[in-house]
Amino acid sequence: MIAMQEELNQFERSEVWELVPRPQNQSAIGTRWVFRNKMDENGTIIRNKARLVAQGFNQEKGIDYEETFAPVARLEAIRMLLAFACFKDFVLYQMDVIGSIFS
């Protein structure tokens, strides 16, 4: 499927993961593909999206991971934040974080 290949290509371009041998004393965390159709305002499918996600129910904090993060912000969440900040006269600052949790 094209959407799956695009997701894998994005991983490679972003350099967000590296294939390494599994340690002897650790179990592997499974993955699952999540599919979604992007639609326009008329409800017509304009793009198929695929995400490769970890099956988090197999993970244990401190063993399989130390922290969690969201790689992207949803546009709806950004709009809501901006609207609320305008309503309350808040000052917002933008910050770029450069780096990787894998380095």
Side-chain angles (χ1 to χ4, degrees):
M1 180 173 208
I2 295 171
M4 292 167 66
Q5 190 59 52
E6 287 176 359
E7 176 79 350
L8 293 173
N9 291 343
Q10 184 61 33
F11 285 161
E12 191 172 312
R13 279 192 302 274
S14 302
E15 298 178 1
V16 296
W17 65 279
E18 178 181 338
L19 187 60
V20 296
R22 182 177 59 85
Q24 294 285 338
N25 58 347
Q26 297 291 320
S27 61
I29 296 171
T31 57
R32 182 174 301 208
W33 284 102
V34 177
F35 299 99
R36 192 170 165 191
N37 293 324
K38 293 288 204 172
M39 298 184 190
D40 64 9
E41 60 277 357
N42 298 322
T44 306
I45 297 174
I46 57 173
R47 187 166 180 228
N48 297 316
K49 296 275 294 181
R51 289 269 172 163
L52 184 62
V53 298
Q55 293 176 322
F57 53 82
N58 292 335
Q59 295 176 308
E60 294 182 39
K61 187 170 183 172
I63 297 174
D64 297 317
Y65 70 95
E66 297 297 326
E67 60 184 285
T68 61
F69 67 98
V72 294
R74 293 188 57 147
L75 187 56
E76 295 87 354
I78 294 170
R79 286 181 178 161
M80 189 181 313
L81 172 66
L82 293 174
F84 186 73
C86 288
F87 177 73
K88 292 288 193 175
D89 290 326
F90 288 163
V91 176
L92 294 180
Y93 296 94
Q94 185 266 335
M95 177 180 76
D96 288 330
V97 178
I98 299 173
S100 172
I101 64 168
F102 301 107
S103 52

